[in-house]
Amino acid sequence: MELDEDVLTDVVKRLRRVQGQVGGLVQMIESGRDCKDVITQLAAASRALDRAGFKLIASGLEKCVSDDSEQAVADRAQLEKLFLALA
């Protein structure tokens, strides 16, 4: 299945942000930062990674249930929002 180029661009942007967060986590651990701070940043990176995955899932579902009616567009937007809320 081919995904929309805008979706892929957004997911790559999110993943690059996660990549930076993980690099920051390594530095935090190596410099002996407080465990609470490390865990907080780890949770943020995990949520960001989940959101990238859910964005892909939502886009894939959108391709599977394509319908151009106004209601279907609103339903797909709501579905994506719900999936992202789970992250």
CSV table of all heavy atoms in Angstrom, one decimal, residues 23-86:
chain,number,residue,atom,x,y,z
A,23,GLY,N,19.0,10.7,21.5
A,23,GLY,CA,20.4,11.2,21.7
A,23,GLY,C,20.5,12.0,23.0
A,23,GLY,O,21.5,11.8,23.7
A,24,GLY,N,19.5,12.8,23.3
A,24,GLY,CA,19.5,13.6,24.5
A,24,GLY,C,19.5,12.7,25.7
A,24,GLY,O,20.1,12.9,26.8
A,25,LEU,N,18.7,11.6,25.6
A,25,LEU,CA,18.6,10.6,26.7
A,25,LEU,C,19.9,10.0,27.0
A,25,LEU,O,20.3,9.8,28.2
A,25,LEU,CB,17.5,9.5,26.4
A,25,LEU,CG,16.1,9.9,26.7
A,25,LEU,CD1,15.2,9.0,25.9
A,25,LEU,CD2,15.8,9.9,28.2
A,26,VAL,N,20.6,9.6,26.0
A,26,VAL,CA,22.0,9.0,26.1
A,26,VAL,C,22.9,9.9,26.9
A,26,VAL,O,23.6,9.6,27.8
A,26,VAL,CB,22.6,8.5,24.8
A,26,VAL,CG1,24.0,8.1,24.9
A,26,VAL,CG2,21.7,7.4,24.2
A,27,GLN,N,22.8,11.2,26.5
A,27,GLN,CA,23.7,12.2,27.1
A,27,GLN,C,23.3,12.4,28.6
A,27,GLN,O,24.1,12.5,29.5
A,27,GLN,CB,23.6,13.5,26.4
A,27,GLN,CG,24.3,13.5,25.1
A,27,GLN,CD,24.2,14.8,24.3
A,27,GLN,OE1,23.4,15.7,24.7
A,27,GLN,NE2,24.9,15.0,23.2
A,28,MET,N,22.0,12.4,28.8
A,28,MET,CA,21.5,12.5,30.2
A,28,MET,C,22.0,11.4,31.1
A,28,MET,O,22.5,11.6,32.2
A,28,MET,CB,20.0,12.5,30.3
A,28,MET,CG,19.3,13.8,29.7
A,28,MET,SD,17.5,13.7,29.6
A,28,MET,CE,17.1,13.9,31.4
A,29,ILE,N,21.9,10.2,30.6
A,29,ILE,CA,22.4,9.0,31.3
A,29,ILE,C,23.9,9.0,31.6
A,29,ILE,O,24.4,8.8,32.7
A,29,ILE,CB,21.9,7.7,30.6
A,29,ILE,CG1,20.4,7.5,30.7
A,29,ILE,CG2,22.6,6.5,31.2
A,29,ILE,CD1,19.9,6.5,29.8
A,30,GLU,N,24.6,9.4,30.5
A,30,GLU,CA,26.1,9.4,30.6
A,30,GLU,C,26.5,10.5,31.6
A,30,GLU,O,27.6,10.4,32.2
A,30,GLU,CB,26.7,9.6,29.2
A,30,GLU,CG,26.6,8.4,28.3
A,30,GLU,CD,27.1,8.6,26.9
A,30,GLU,OE1,27.3,9.8,26.5
A,30,GLU,OE2,27.3,7.6,26.3
A,31,SER,N,25.8,11.6,31.7
A,31,SER,CA,26.2,12.7,32.6
A,31,SER,C,25.6,12.5,34.0
A,31,SER,O,25.9,13.4,34.8
A,31,SER,CB,25.8,14.0,32.0
A,31,SER,OG,24.3,14.1,32.0
A,32,GLY,N,24.9,11.4,34.2
A,32,GLY,CA,24.5,11.1,35.6
A,32,GLY,C,23.3,11.9,36.0
A,32,GLY,O,23.1,12.1,37.2
A,33,ARG,N,22.4,12.3,35.1
A,33,ARG,CA,21.2,13.1,35.5
A,33,ARG,C,20.3,12.3,36.3
A,33,ARG,O,20.3,11.0,36.3
A,33,ARG,CB,20.5,13.5,34.2
A,33,ARG,CG,21.2,14.5,33.3
A,33,ARG,CD,21.0,15.9,33.9
A,33,ARG,NE,19.7,16.4,33.9
A,33,ARG,CZ,19.0,17.1,33.0
A,33,ARG,NH1,19.6,17.3,31.8
A,33,ARG,NH2,17.8,17.4,33.1
A,34,ASP,N,19.5,13.0,37.1
A,34,ASP,CA,18.5,12.4,38.0
A,34,ASP,C,17.6,11.4,37.2
A,34,ASP,O,17.2,11.7,36.1
A,34,ASP,CB,17.7,13.5,38.6
A,34,ASP,CG,16.7,12.9,39.7
A,34,ASP,OD1,17.2,12.4,40.7
A,34,ASP,OD2,15.5,13.0,39.5
A,35,CYS,N,17.4,10.2,37.9
A,35,CYS,CA,16.5,9.2,37.3
A,35,CYS,C,15.2,9.7,36.9
A,35,CYS,O,14.6,9.3,35.8
A,35,CYS,CB,16.4,8.0,38.3
A,35,CYS,SG,15.5,6.6,37.6
A,36,LYS,N,14.6,10.5,37.7
A,36,LYS,CA,13.2,11.1,37.4
A,36,LYS,C,13.2,11.9,36.1
A,36,LYS,O,12.3,11.7,35.3
A,36,LYS,CB,12.8,12.0,38.6
A,36,LYS,CG,11.4,12.5,38.4
A,36,LYS,CD,10.9,13.3,39.6
A,36,LYS,CE,11.4,14.7,39.4
A,36,LYS,NZ,10.9,15.6,40.4
A,37,ASP,N,14.3,12.7,35.9
A,37,ASP,CA,14.4,13.4,34.6
A,37,ASP,C,14.5,12.5,33.4
A,37,ASP,O,13.9,12.7,32.4
A,37,ASP,CB,15.6,14.4,34.7
A,37,ASP,CG,15.4,15.5,35.7
A,37,ASP,OD1,14.2,15.8,36.1
A,37,ASP,OD2,16.4,16.0,36.2
A,38,VAL,N,15.4,11.5,33.6
A,38,VAL,CA,15.6,10.5,32.5
A,38,VAL,C,14.3,9.8,32.1
A,38,VAL,O,13.9,9.7,31.0
A,38,VAL,CB,16.7,9.5,32.8
A,38,VAL,CG1,16.8,8.4,31.8
A,38,VAL,CG2,18.0,10.2,33.0
A,39,ILE,N,13.6,9.3,33.1
A,39,ILE,CA,12.3,8.6,32.9
A,39,ILE,C,11.3,9.5,32.2
A,39,ILE,O,10.6,9.1,31.3
A,39,ILE,CB,11.8,8.0,34.2
A,39,ILE,CG1,12.7,7.0,34.8
A,39,ILE,CG2,10.4,7.4,34.0
A,39,ILE,CD1,13.0,5.8,33.9
A,40,THR,N,11.2,10.8,32.7
A,40,THR,CA,10.3,11.7,32.1
A,40,THR,C,10.6,11.9,30.6
A,40,THR,O,9.7,11.9,29.7
A,40,THR,CB,10.4,13.1,32.8
A,40,THR,OG1,10.0,12.9,34.1
A,40,THR,CG2,9.4,14.1,32.1
A,41,GLN,N,11.8,12.1,30.2
A,41,GLN,CA,12.2,12.2,28.8
A,41,GLN,C,12.0,10.9,28.0
A,41,GLN,O,11.6,11.0,26.9
A,41,GLN,CB,13.6,12.7,28.7
A,41,GLN,CG,13.8,14.2,29.1
A,41,GLN,CD,12.9,15.1,28.4
A,41,GLN,OE1,12.8,15.0,27.1
A,41,GLN,NE2,12.2,15.9,29.1
A,42,LEU,N,12.3,9.8,28.7
A,42,LEU,CA,12.1,8.5,28.0
A,42,LEU,C,10.6,8.3,27.7
A,42,LEU,O,10.2,7.8,26.6
A,42,LEU,CB,12.6,7.4,28.9
A,42,LEU,CG,12.5,6.0,28.4
A,42,LEU,CD1,13.4,5.9,27.1
A,42,LEU,CD2,13.0,5.0,29.4
A,43,ALA,N,9.7,8.7,28.6
A,43,ALA,CA,8.3,8.6,28.4
A,43,ALA,C,7.8,9.5,27.2
A,43,ALA,O,7.0,9.1,26.4
A,43,ALA,CB,7.5,8.9,29.6
A,44,ALA,N,8.4,10.7,27.2
A,44,ALA,CA,8.1,11.6,26.1
A,44,ALA,C,8.5,11.1,24.7
A,44,ALA,O,7.8,11.1,23.7
A,44,ALA,CB,8.7,13.0,26.3
A,45,ALA,N,9.7,10.5,24.7
A,45,ALA,CA,10.2,9.9,23.4
A,45,ALA,C,9.3,8.7,23.0
A,45,ALA,O,9.0,8.5,21.8
A,45,ALA,CB,11.7,9.4,23.6
A,46,SER,N,8.9,7.9,24.0
A,46,SER,CA,8.1,6.8,23.7
A,46,SER,C,6.7,7.2,23.1
A,46,SER,O,6.2,6.6,22.1
A,46,SER,CB,7.9,6.0,25.0
A,46,SER,OG,7.0,4.9,24.7
A,47,ARG,N,6.1,8.2,23.7
A,47,ARG,CA,4.9,8.8,23.2
A,47,ARG,C,5.0,9.3,21.8
A,47,ARG,O,4.1,9.1,20.9
A,47,ARG,CB,4.3,9.8,24.1
A,47,ARG,CG,3.7,9.3,25.4
A,47,ARG,CD,2.9,10.4,26.2
A,47,ARG,NE,3.7,11.6,26.5
A,47,ARG,CZ,4.5,11.7,27.5
A,47,ARG,NH1,4.6,10.8,28.4
A,47,ARG,NH2,5.2,12.8,27.7
A,48,ALA,N,6.1,10.0,21.5
A,48,ALA,CA,6.3,10.5,20.2
A,48,ALA,C,6.5,9.4,19.2
A,48,ALA,O,6.0,9.5,18.1
A,48,ALA,CB,7.6,11.4,20.2
A,49,LEU,N,7.2,8.4,19.5
A,49,LEU,CA,7.3,7.2,18.6
A,49,LEU,C,6.0,6.6,18.4
A,49,LEU,O,5.6,6.2,17.2
A,49,LEU,CB,8.3,6.2,19.2
A,49,LEU,CG,8.8,5.1,18.4
A,49,LEU,CD1,9.4,5.6,17.1
A,49,LEU,CD2,9.8,4.2,19.1
A,50,ASP,N,5.2,6.4,19.4
A,50,ASP,CA,3.8,5.8,19.3
A,50,ASP,C,3.0,6.7,18.4
A,50,ASP,O,2.3,6.2,17.5
A,50,ASP,CB,3.1,5.7,20.6
A,50,ASP,CG,3.7,4.6,21.5
A,50,ASP,OD1,4.4,3.7,21.0
A,50,ASP,OD2,3.4,4.6,22.7
A,51,ARG,N,3.1,8.0,18.5
A,51,ARG,CA,2.3,8.9,17.7
A,51,ARG,C,2.7,8.7,16.2
A,51,ARG,O,1.8,8.8,15.3
A,51,ARG,CB,2.4,10.3,18.1
A,51,ARG,CG,1.7,10.6,19.4
A,51,ARG,CD,1.8,12.1,19.9
A,51,ARG,NE,1.2,12.3,21.1
A,51,ARG,CZ,-0.1,12.7,21.2
A,51,ARG,NH1,-0.8,12.9,20.2
A,51,ARG,NH2,-0.6,12.9,22.4
A,52,ALA,N,3.9,8.6,15.9
A,52,ALA,CA,4.4,8.4,14.5
A,52,ALA,C,3.7,7.1,14.0
A,52,ALA,O,3.2,7.0,12.9
A,52,ALA,CB,5.9,8.3,14.4
A,53,GLY,N,3.7,6.0,14.8
A,53,GLY,CA,3.1,4.8,14.4
A,53,GLY,C,1.6,4.9,14.1
A,53,GLY,O,1.1,4.4,13.1
A,54,PHE,N,1.0,5.6,15.1
A,54,PHE,CA,-0.5,5.7,14.9
A,54,PHE,C,-0.8,6.6,13.7
A,54,PHE,O,-1.8,6.4,13.0
A,54,PHE,CB,-1.1,6.3,16.2
A,54,PHE,CG,-1.3,5.3,17.3
A,54,PHE,CD1,-0.7,5.5,18.5
A,54,PHE,CD2,-2.0,4.2,17.0
A,54,PHE,CE1,-0.9,4.5,19.5
A,54,PHE,CE2,-2.2,3.2,18.0
A,54,PHE,CZ,-1.6,3.4,19.3
A,55,LYS,N,0.0,7.5,13.4
A,55,LYS,CA,-0.2,8.4,12.2
A,55,LYS,C,-0.2,7.5,10.9
A,55,LYS,O,-1.0,7.6,10.0
A,55,LYS,CB,0.9,9.5,12.1
A,55,LYS,CG,0.8,10.4,10.9
A,55,LYS,CD,-0.3,11.4,11.2
A,55,LYS,CE,-0.2,12.4,10.0
A,55,LYS,NZ,-1.2,13.5,10.2
A,56,LEU,N,0.8,6.6,10.9
A,56,LEU,CA,0.8,5.6,9.8
A,56,LEU,C,-0.4,4.7,9.7
A,56,LEU,O,-0.9,4.5,8.7
A,56,LEU,CB,2.1,4.8,9.9
A,56,LEU,CG,3.4,5.5,9.5
A,56,LEU,CD1,4.6,4.5,9.8
A,56,LEU,CD2,3.4,5.9,8.1
A,57,ILE,N,-0.8,4.2,10.9
A,57,ILE,CA,-2.0,3.4,11.0
A,57,ILE,C,-3.2,4.1,10.5
A,57,ILE,O,-4.0,3.6,9.7
A,57,ILE,CB,-2.2,2.8,12.4
A,57,ILE,CG1,-1.1,1.9,12.8
A,57,ILE,CG2,-3.5,2.2,12.5
A,57,ILE,CD1,-1.0,1.5,14.3
A,58,ALA,N,-3.4,5.3,11.0
A,58,ALA,CA,-4.6,6.1,10.6
A,58,ALA,C,-4.6,6.3,9.1
A,58,ALA,O,-5.6,6.3,8.4
A,58,ALA,CB,-4.6,7.4,11.3
A,59,SER,N,-3.4,6.6,8.5
A,59,SER,CA,-3.3,6.9,7.1
A,59,SER,C,-3.6,5.6,6.3
A,59,SER,O,-4.3,5.7,5.3
A,59,SER,CB,-1.9,7.4,6.7
A,59,SER,OG,-1.8,7.6,5.4
A,60,GLY,N,-3.1,4.5,6.8
A,60,GLY,CA,-3.4,3.2,6.1
A,60,GLY,C,-4.9,2.9,6.1
A,60,GLY,O,-5.4,2.5,5.1
A,61,LEU,N,-5.5,3.1,7.3
A,61,LEU,CA,-7.0,2.9,7.3
A,61,LEU,C,-7.7,3.8,6.4
A,61,LEU,O,-8.7,3.4,5.8
A,61,LEU,CB,-7.5,3.1,8.8
A,61,LEU,CG,-7.1,2.0,9.7
A,61,LEU,CD1,-7.5,2.3,11.1
A,61,LEU,CD2,-7.8,0.7,9.3
A,62,GLU,N,-7.2,5.0,6.3
A,62,GLU,CA,-7.9,6.0,5.4
A,62,GLU,C,-7.9,5.5,4.0
A,62,GLU,O,-8.8,5.6,3.3
A,62,GLU,CB,-7.2,7.4,5.5
A,62,GLU,CG,-7.9,8.4,4.7
A,62,GLU,CD,-7.2,9.8,4.8
A,62,GLU,OE1,-6.3,9.9,5.6
A,62,GLU,OE2,-7.6,10.7,4.1
A,63,LYS,N,-6.7,4.9,3.6
A,63,LYS,CA,-6.6,4.4,2.2
A,63,LYS,C,-7.6,3.2,2.0
A,63,LYS,O,-8.1,3.0,1.0
A,63,LYS,CB,-5.2,4.0,1.9
A,63,LYS,CG,-4.2,5.1,1.9
A,63,LYS,CD,-4.3,5.9,0.6
A,63,LYS,CE,-3.3,6.9,0.6
A,63,LYS,NZ,-3.4,7.8,-0.5
A,64,CYS,N,-7.7,2.4,3.1
A,64,CYS,CA,-8.6,1.3,3.0
A,64,CYS,C,-10.1,1.6,2.9
A,64,CYS,O,-10.8,0.8,2.4
A,64,CYS,CB,-8.3,0.3,4.2
A,64,CYS,SG,-6.7,-0.4,4.2
A,65,VAL,N,-10.5,2.7,3.5
A,65,VAL,CA,-11.9,3.0,3.6
A,65,VAL,C,-12.2,4.3,2.8
A,65,VAL,O,-12.9,5.2,3.3
A,65,VAL,CB,-12.4,3.1,5.0
A,65,VAL,CG1,-12.4,1.8,5.7
A,65,VAL,CG2,-11.6,4.1,5.8
A,66,SER,N,-11.5,4.5,1.7
A,66,SER,CA,-11.6,5.7,0.9
A,66,SER,C,-13.1,6.0,0.5
A,66,SER,O,-13.8,5.1,0.0
A,66,SER,CB,-10.8,5.7,-0.3
A,66,SER,OG,-9.4,5.7,0.0
A,67,ASP,N,-13.5,7.2,0.8
A,67,ASP,CA,-14.8,7.6,0.4
A,67,ASP,C,-14.7,9.1,0.4
A,67,ASP,O,-14.2,9.7,1.3
A,67,ASP,CB,-15.8,7.2,1.5
A,67,ASP,CG,-17.3,7.6,1.1
A,67,ASP,OD1,-17.5,8.3,0.2
A,67,ASP,OD2,-18.2,7.2,1.9
A,68,ASP,N,-15.2,9.8,-0.6
A,68,ASP,CA,-15.1,11.2,-0.7
A,68,ASP,C,-16.2,12.0,-0.2
A,68,ASP,O,-16.2,13.2,-0.3
A,68,ASP,CB,-14.9,11.6,-2.2
A,68,ASP,CG,-13.5,11.0,-2.8
A,68,ASP,OD1,-12.6,10.9,-1.9
A,68,ASP,OD2,-13.5,10.8,-4.0
A,69,SER,N,-17.2,11.4,0.5
A,69,SER,CA,-18.3,12.2,1.0
A,69,SER,C,-17.8,13.0,2.2
A,69,SER,O,-16.8,12.7,2.8
A,69,SER,CB,-19.4,11.2,1.5
A,69,SER,OG,-19.1,10.6,2.7
A,70,GLU,N,-18.5,14.1,2.4
A,70,GLU,CA,-18.2,15.0,3.5
A,70,GLU,C,-18.2,14.3,4.8
A,70,GLU,O,-17.3,14.6,5.7
A,70,GLU,CB,-19.1,16.2,3.5
A,70,GLU,CG,-18.6,17.4,4.3
A,70,GLU,CD,-19.5,18.6,4.1
A,70,GLU,OE1,-19.8,19.0,2.9
A,70,GLU,OE2,-19.9,19.2,5.1
A,71,GLN,N,-19.1,13.5,5.1
A,71,GLN,CA,-19.2,12.8,6.3
A,71,GLN,C,-18.0,11.8,6.5
A,71,GLN,O,-17.5,11.7,7.6
A,71,GLN,CB,-20.5,12.0,6.4
A,71,GLN,CG,-20.7,11.3,7.8
A,71,GLN,CD,-20.7,12.2,9.0
A,71,GLN,OE1,-21.3,13.2,9.0
A,71,GLN,NE2,-19.9,11.8,10.0
A,72,ALA,N,-17.7,11.1,5.4
A,72,ALA,CA,-16.6,10.2,5.5
A,72,ALA,C,-15.3,10.9,5.8
A,72,ALA,O,-14.4,10.4,6.6
A,72,ALA,CB,-16.4,9.4,4.2
A,73,VAL,N,-15.1,12.1,5.3
A,73,VAL,CA,-13.9,12.9,5.5
A,73,VAL,C,-13.8,13.2,7.0
A,73,VAL,O,-12.8,13.1,7.7
A,73,VAL,CB,-13.8,14.1,4.6
A,73,VAL,CG1,-12.7,15.0,5.1
A,73,VAL,CG2,-13.6,13.7,3.2
A,74,ALA,N,-14.9,13.7,7.6
A,74,ALA,CA,-15.0,14.0,9.0
A,74,ALA,C,-14.8,12.8,9.9
A,74,ALA,O,-14.1,12.9,10.9
A,74,ALA,CB,-16.4,14.6,9.3
A,75,ASP,N,-15.3,11.6,9.4
A,75,ASP,CA,-15.2,10.4,10.2
A,75,ASP,C,-13.7,10.0,10.2
A,75,ASP,O,-13.2,9.6,11.3
A,75,ASP,CB,-16.0,9.3,9.6
A,75,ASP,CG,-17.5,9.5,9.9
A,75,ASP,OD1,-17.9,10.3,10.7
A,75,ASP,OD2,-18.3,8.8,9.2
A,76,ARG,N,-13.0,10.1,9.1
A,76,ARG,CA,-11.6,9.7,9.1
A,76,ARG,C,-10.8,10.6,9.9
A,76,ARG,O,-9.8,10.2,10.6
A,76,ARG,CB,-11.1,9.7,7.6
A,76,ARG,CG,-11.6,8.5,6.8
A,76,ARG,CD,-10.9,8.3,5.5
A,76,ARG,NE,-10.9,9.5,4.6
A,76,ARG,CZ,-11.8,9.7,3.7
A,76,ARG,NH1,-12.8,8.9,3.5
A,76,ARG,NH2,-11.8,10.8,2.9
A,77,ALA,N,-11.1,11.9,9.9
A,77,ALA,CA,-10.4,12.9,10.7
A,77,ALA,C,-10.5,12.5,12.2
A,77,ALA,O,-9.6,12.6,13.0
A,77,ALA,CB,-10.8,14.3,10.4
A,78,GLN,N,-11.8,12.2,12.6
A,78,GLN,CA,-12.0,11.8,14.0
A,78,GLN,C,-11.3,10.5,14.3
A,78,GLN,O,-10.8,10.4,15.4
A,78,GLN,CB,-13.6,11.6,14.2
A,78,GLN,CG,-13.9,11.3,15.6
A,78,GLN,CD,-13.6,12.4,16.6
A,78,GLN,OE1,-13.6,13.6,16.2
A,78,GLN,NE2,-13.2,12.0,17.8
A,79,LEU,N,-11.3,9.6,13.4
A,79,LEU,CA,-10.6,8.3,13.7
A,79,LEU,C,-9.1,8.5,13.9
A,79,LEU,O,-8.5,8.0,14.8
A,79,LEU,CB,-10.8,7.3,12.5
A,79,LEU,CG,-10.2,6.0,12.6
A,79,LEU,CD1,-10.7,5.2,13.7
A,79,LEU,CD2,-10.4,5.2,11.3
A,80,GLU,N,-8.5,9.3,13.1
A,80,GLU,CA,-7.1,9.6,13.3
A,80,GLU,C,-6.9,10.3,14.6
A,80,GLU,O,-5.9,10.0,15.3
A,80,GLU,CB,-6.6,10.5,12.1
A,80,GLU,CG,-5.1,10.8,12.3
A,80,GLU,CD,-4.6,11.6,11.1
A,80,GLU,OE1,-5.2,11.8,10.1
A,80,GLU,OE2,-3.4,12.1,11.3
A,81,LYS,N,-7.7,11.2,15.0
A,81,LYS,CA,-7.6,11.9,16.2
A,81,LYS,C,-7.7,11.0,17.4
A,81,LYS,O,-6.9,11.0,18.4
A,81,LYS,CB,-8.6,13.0,16.4
A,81,LYS,CG,-8.5,13.9,17.6
A,81,LYS,CD,-9.5,15.0,17.5
A,81,LYS,CE,-9.4,16.0,18.7
A,81,LYS,NZ,-10.3,17.1,18.6
A,82,LEU,N,-8.6,10.0,17.3
A,82,LEU,CA,-8.7,9.0,18.4
A,82,LEU,C,-7.5,8.1,18.5
A,82,LEU,O,-7.0,7.8,19.6
A,82,LEU,CB,-10.0,8.2,18.1
A,82,LEU,CG,-11.3,8.9,18.4
A,82,LEU,CD1,-12.4,8.0,17.9
A,82,LEU,CD2,-11.5,9.2,19.8
A,83,PHE,N,-7.0,7.7,17.4
A,83,PHE,CA,-5.8,6.9,17.4
A,83,PHE,C,-4.6,7.6,18.0
A,83,PHE,O,-3.8,7.1,18.8
A,83,PHE,CB,-5.4,6.5,15.9
A,83,PHE,CG,-6.0,5.2,15.5
A,83,PHE,CD1,-7.2,4.7,16.1
A,83,PHE,CD2,-5.5,4.4,14.6
A,83,PHE,CE1,-7.8,3.6,15.7
A,83,PHE,CE2,-6.0,3.2,14.2
A,83,PHE,CZ,-7.2,2.8,14.7
A,84,LEU,N,-4.4,8.9,17.6
A,84,LEU,CA,-3.4,9.7,18.2
A,84,LEU,C,-3.5,9.9,19.7
A,84,LEU,O,-2.5,10.1,20.4
A,84,LEU,CB,-3.2,11.0,17.4
A,84,LEU,CG,-2.8,10.9,16.0
A,84,LEU,CD1,-2.8,12.3,15.3
A,84,LEU,CD2,-1.4,10.3,15.9
A,85,ALA,N,-4.8,10.0,20.1
A,85,ALA,CA,-5.0,10.2,21.6
A,85,ALA,C,-4.6,9.0,22.4
A,85,ALA,O,-4.3,9.1,23.5
A,85,ALA,CB,-6.5,10.5,21.8
A,86,LEU,N,-4.5,7.8,21.7
A,86,LEU,CA,-4.1,6.6,22.4
A,86,LEU,C,-2.6,6.5,22.7
A,86,LEU,O,-2.2,5.8,23.5
A,86,LEU,CB,-4.5,5.3,21.6
A,86,LEU,CG,-6.0,5.1,21.4
A,86,LEU,CD1,-6.2,3.9,20.5
A,86,LEU,CD2,-6.6,4.8,22.8
